[in-house]
Amino acid sequence: MSEQVIQNVKERMDKALQNLSRELATVRAGRAQPAMLDKVTVEYYGSPMPINQVAGITTPEPRLLVISPWEKSMLSEIEKAIQKSDLGLNPANDGSVIRLSIPVLTEERRQELVKQVRKMAEEARVAIRNIRRDGNDELKKAEKNGDVSEDEIRREMDKIQQVTDKSIAQVDKLLEDKEKDVTQV
């Protein structure tokens, strides 16, 4: 029973870390990365779809993204979606592909991005702490039901704390790496 609780806590914390990684990948850091378009969706036959599911995205140069739609009719839709997004990018449509030139970030914009990244990391830490609390509550419930001894509950709670500490350290590492990425000129 208690091993299940710990396994569940580990899995949920891993998912929180994966989510943070995906979120951080969408933050624009002065270099062209296809992941920065992950949140941008286009209307495709009546359904909103991520751009990477209706077009190929390549990075021929460090500051350039080239979007090649699989259907030429999607060019204007993709262009509009990028303009509406909060990325602050200006798409250049040449009739067959869309080029996105990634401008150098200003110092002010870098500071905004650092704040945004720190907020994402803090949300991930809170999620991890909530998962820890849920796991501990489950163990306490098992103790009340008489399923597990008090000593075993202590040991299991210590294991959950170790998993939590490791997950928080991973959040800090992801944050540190992304801050470096954002503040690099």
Side-chain angles (χ1 to χ4, degrees):
M1 150 73 194
S2 58
E3 284 302 315
Q4 273 181 311
V5 171
I6 290 175
Q7 190 59 37
N8 183 23
V9 165
K10 279 181 184 174
E11 287 172 11
R12 289 178 60 201
M13 286 185 185
D14 284 346
K15 284 180 185 171
L17 286 166
Q18 289 168 1
N19 186 42
L20 175 63
S21 283
R22 276 193 306 275
E23 288 286 312
L24 291 177
T26 64
V27 175
R28 183 165 77 89
R31 276 197 302 279
Q33 299 169 327
M36 51 199 286
L37 297 174
D38 284 356
K39 288 184 180 175
V40 182
T41 58
V42 293
E43 198 69 25
Y44 186 68
Y45 293 108
S47 304
M49 300 282 274
I51 288 179
N52 62 5
Q53 292 188 9
V54 296
I57 304 171
T58 57
T59 53
E61 298 171 21
R63 295 197 182 279
L64 181 70
L65 280 178
V66 176
I67 303 164
S68 309
W70 294 313
E71 293 179 25
K72 296 297 177 218
S73 61
M74 292 302 296
L75 272 170
S76 62
E77 284 290 324
I78 293 171
E79 190 175 9
K80 284 180 204 161
I82 292 169
Q83 287 170 337
K84 286 181 190 171
S85 74
D86 62 352
L87 291 173
L89 298 175
N90 232 349
N93 180 349
D94 72 2
S96 59
V97 296
I98 294 174
R99 285 177 173 65
L100 284 177
S101 182
I102 312 298
V104 178
L105 294 174
T106 63
E107 190 57 37
E108 185 179 314
R109 181 68 179 140
R110 287 179 200 281
Q111 294 309 315
E112 285 174 28
L113 290 175
V114 167
K115 282 181 192 170
Q116 183 182 350
V117 166
R118 286 181 180 160
K119 183 175 180 241
M120 289 175 180
E122 187 53 37
E123 287 170 1
R125 285 187 201 105
V126 168
I128 287 169
R129 288 187 206 112
N130 287 341
I131 294 166
R132 174 188 61 193
R133 187 194 61 227
D134 292 347
N136 287 343
D137 289 350
E138 247 179 273
L139 290 173
K140 288 174 188 169
K141 208 180 294 177
E143 182 186 17
K144 275 186 187 163
N145 294 342
D147 297 342
V148 195
S149 72
E150 193 175 324
D151 289 343
E152 192 174 335
I153 292 295
R154 278 283 149 237
R155 280 192 298 275
E156 300 303 318
M157 285 179 148
D158 287 344
K159 285 181 187 174
I160 288 177
Q161 186 59 47
Q162 288 170 357
V163 172
T164 303
D165 292 343
K166 196 188 304 182
S167 295
I168 296 284
Q170 286 177 296
V171 166
D172 293 342
K173 176 77 174 114
L174 287 170
L175 172 62
E176 181 185 327
D177 291 348
K178 191 62 179 187
E179 276 185 349
K180 243 184 241 165
D181 193 24
V182 168
T183 56
Q184 270 181 350
V185 178

